[in-house]
């Protein structure tokens, strides 16, 4: 069982398209679209959101992503009627980037709060883990193991959206602060700003209880070419 994800959009086509995209990267995750009104117009539907949450029931929680402000209001209204609202959270994240990052995190077995964090990290919002590496070292020095590694990108397309989502999603479920070439390893958008092509070296620096796992996770993905040519 994994965390389910509900997409609330003013457009049925946007919700369906975003869901289709994310499903390519997280085939085992239930991703439910709740876009447009019940009669096919632009807008949001409380009935559609409730139906999606009903279908998500029984999973390990659910994360809701929205496109615009009134979609958030609809999602919040739906939570008032939900049977287990404590297991459902709304992520403050860009719809497409956040959805992809959240889906990959859920695919990796992250819990509902880690999936939410993965989505919100995709938005580039300044968080504690966005503090420059030098300051982080000062704060955590002596409090946990540290691990580093360097890996060469071997896949033809380099660090595009899918590899970035895999890395960010997996790291978000680990107890570690990870930077890759100086940017936040749990942020899909930050990783894509590296514009790292085939042959580029990725230097992974991890601190925290899961530091070694984090470096091994990234190294394994890179050395396998992310399953790509």
């Amino acid at each position: 069982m994994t965390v389910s994800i509900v997409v609330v959009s003013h457009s049925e086509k946007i919700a369906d398209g975003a869901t289709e995209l994310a499903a390519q990267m997280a085939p085992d995750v239930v991703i439910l679209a709740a876009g447009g009104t019940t009669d096919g117009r632009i807008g949001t539907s409380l009935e559609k959101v409730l139906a999606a949450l009903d279908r998500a029931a029984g999973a390990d929680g659910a994360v809701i992503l929205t496109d615009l402000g009134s979609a958030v209001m609809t999602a919040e209204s739906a939570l008032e009627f939900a049977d287990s609202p404590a297991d459902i959270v709304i992520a403050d994240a860009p719809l497409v980037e956040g959805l992809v990052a959240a889906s990959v995190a859920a695919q990796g077995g992250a819990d509902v709060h880690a999936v939410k964090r993965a989505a919100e990290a995709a938005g580039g919002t300044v968080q504690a883990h966005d503090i420059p590496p030098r300051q982080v070292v000062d704060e955590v020095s002596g409090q946990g193991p540290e691990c580093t590694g360097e890996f060469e990108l071997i896949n033809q397309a380099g660090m595009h959206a899918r590899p970035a989502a895999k890395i960010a999603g997996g790291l978000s479920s680990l107890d570690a602060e990870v930077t890759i070439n100086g940017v936040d390893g749990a942020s899909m958008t930050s990783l894509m700003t590296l514009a790292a092509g085939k042959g580029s070296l990725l230097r992974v620096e991890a601190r925290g209880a899961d530091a070694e796992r984090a470096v091994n996770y990234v190294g394994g993905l890179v050395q396998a070419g992310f399953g790509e040519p």
Side-chain angles (χ1 to χ4, degrees):
M1 191 68 69
T2 62
V3 173
S4 295
I5 300 173
V6 175
V7 179
V8 182
S9 170
H10 284 68
S11 165
E12 184 174 6
K13 290 182 179 179
I14 289 176
D16 289 345
T19 298
E20 181 182 12
L21 173 66
Q24 295 294 311
M25 305 175 198
D28 298 326
V29 178
V30 175
I31 307 171
L32 301 161
T37 65
T38 54
D39 56 358
R41 291 180 293 111
I42 295 295
T44 58
S45 165
L46 178 61
E47 183 179 348
K48 278 194 170 186
V49 178
L50 286 172
L53 291 179
D54 282 344
R55 290 176 60 191
D60 292 334
V63 176
I64 301 175
L65 285 103
T66 63
D67 56 359
L68 300 172
S70 57
V72 177
M73 295 174 61
T74 303
E76 290 174 341
S77 297
L79 285 182
E80 296 178 5
F81 295 96
D83 291 334
S84 303
D87 298 329
I88 305 170
V89 296
I90 302 173
D92 181 11
L95 182 59
V96 176
E97 294 90 343
L99 174 60
V100 171
S103 300
V104 175
Q107 178 74 30
D111 65 22
V112 67
H113 297 291
V115 171
K116 178 176 182 285
R117 286 197 300 273
E120 295 178 341
T125 305
V126 176
Q127 310 252 339
H129 50 248
D130 290 321
I131 298 171
R134 184 62 233 168
Q135 296 182 41
V136 172
V137 170
D138 288 341
E139 289 186 3
V140 303
S141 177
Q143 297 181 7
E146 298 185 6
C147 192
T148 64
E150 281 194 350
F151 309 100
E152 179 180 344
L153 285 171
I154 61 172
N155 61 314
Q156 291 290 339
M159 185 65 73
H160 62 92
R162 184 171 175 272
K166 279 192 169 184
I167 291 174
L171 291 182
S172 66
S173 65
L174 299 180
D175 181 11
E177 296 283 347
V178 184
T179 60
I180 299 178
N181 289 4
V183 305
D184 181 6
S187 168
M188 174 183 169
T189 50
S190 294
L191 292 172
M192 292 180 67
T193 63
L194 293 175
K198 181 181 179 182
S200 297
L201 282 179
L202 300 182
R203 178 171 176 77
V204 184
E205 298 180 334
R207 300 170 182 81
D210 290 333
E212 185 174 356
R213 288 182 62 196
V215 174
N216 287 333
Y217 173 75
V218 176
L221 288 175
V222 173
Q223 291 171 342
F226 303 97
E228 299 176 352

